[in-house]
Amino acid sequence: QVQLVESGGGLVQAGGSLRLSCAASGRTFSSSGMGWFRQAPGKAREFVAAISWNGGSTYYKDSVKGRFTISRDNAKNTVYLQMNSLKPEDTAVYYCAASTFISGNYLRDLMNYAYWGQGTQVTVSS
């Protein structure tokens, strides 16, 4: 069992930055691939970024490559999403999730995630 709590969302102007954090509890965090997803109003939840169990591999949605960086600290049971050069189209509720896979492109598919946080709102104004 893994419980996830996101923080760090907020309102920011276009071009600004935010850092999301996801604190995990449970013994399986360090052996789980972790992902960030987002859902805008009226749209389906979509993949944003993911990281393998040991941080050795990362995966990104094309539109965030070069702007967002995912990282993890297994000693702190925390995964991060650093978001730079934010755009209005990045506005969404961002969710942290723990996968049943440890690495690979399986981490791009939300169906491969067993545990989800409650989400944190990110709003980017133009």
Side-chain angles (χ1 to χ4, degrees):
Q1 190 85 352
V2 178
Q3 294 180 325
L4 305 170
V5 179
E6 302 98 333
S7 61
L11 173 64
V12 63
Q13 289 188 331
S17 298
L18 283 174
R19 188 194 196 200
L20 305 184
S21 298
C22 173
S25 62
R27 294 178 296 173
T28 60
F29 174 82
S30 60
S31 60
S32 298
M34 297 294 296
W36 286 97
F37 291 77
R38 67 187 182 188
Q39 188 166 18
K43 295 188 177 181
R45 192 170 298 189
E46 65 176 5
F47 169 76
V48 175
I51 189 166
S52 62
W53 68 281
N54 62 353
S57 297
T58 55
Y59 312 84
Y60 295 96
K61 177 181 174 62
D62 284 347
S63 63
V64 308
K65 282 181 183 177
R67 299 190 297 123
F68 291 10
T69 302
I70 188 170
S71 61
R72 67 189 296 162
D73 185 339
N74 284 350
K76 296 182 178 180
N77 275 15
T78 303
V79 62
Y80 306 97
L81 186 67
Q82 177 67 45
M83 305 186 294
N84 299 329
S85 302
L86 282 161
K87 304 176 180 180
E89 52 263 42
D90 295 318
T91 295
V93 177
Y94 283 69
Y95 297 90
C96 171
S99 179
T100 52
F101 291 86
I102 61 172
S103 66
N105 282 315
Y106 300 106
L107 298 181
R108 296 179 179 272
D109 187 346
L110 62 84
M111 296 300 293
N112 292 326
Y113 287 80
Y115 304 101
W116 293 83
Q118 83 288 349
T120 186
Q121 177 71 46
V122 171
T123 303
V124 185
S125 63
S126 56

